[in-house]
């Protein structure tokens, strides 16, 4: 159940960012780009953490 809620939240955030990117004036897009750069820099760290967790728990 929690995984479905999390997936729904991620989808809603992605759709909201897409809508904001197309609606916001060009001078406000810098805020959206800053948010997306934060997530892009966070993804490799999360992937490495997930890989380490997988390797430790694999038996």
């Amino acid at each position: 159940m929690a995984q479905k809620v999390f997936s729904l939240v991620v989808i809603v955030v992605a759709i909201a960012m897409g809508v904001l990117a197309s609606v916001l004036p060009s001078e406000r897009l810098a805020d959206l780009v800053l948010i997306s750069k934060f997530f892009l820099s966070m993804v490799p760290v999360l992937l490495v953490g997930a890989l380490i967790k997988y390797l430790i728990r694999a038996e």
Side-chain angles (χ1 to χ4, degrees):
M1 179 66 180
Q3 187 175 4
K4 288 183 181 182
V5 171
F6 179 72
S7 298
L8 182 65
V9 168
V10 169
I11 290 170
V12 168
V13 168
I15 290 172
M17 286 182 70
V19 168
L20 286 174
S22 62
V23 172
L24 285 177
S26 59
E27 61 269 0
R28 296 290 299 166
L29 283 178
D31 298 334
L32 188 62
V33 169
L34 182 64
I35 293 170
S36 65
K37 283 186 181 182
F38 170 74
F39 286 112
L40 285 176
S41 64
M42 201 172 61
V43 168
V45 174
L46 292 174
L47 289 175
V48 170
L51 177 64
I52 291 171
K53 181 179 176 183
Y54 172 77
L55 291 174
I56 289 174
R57 293 192 150 230
E59 294 181 11

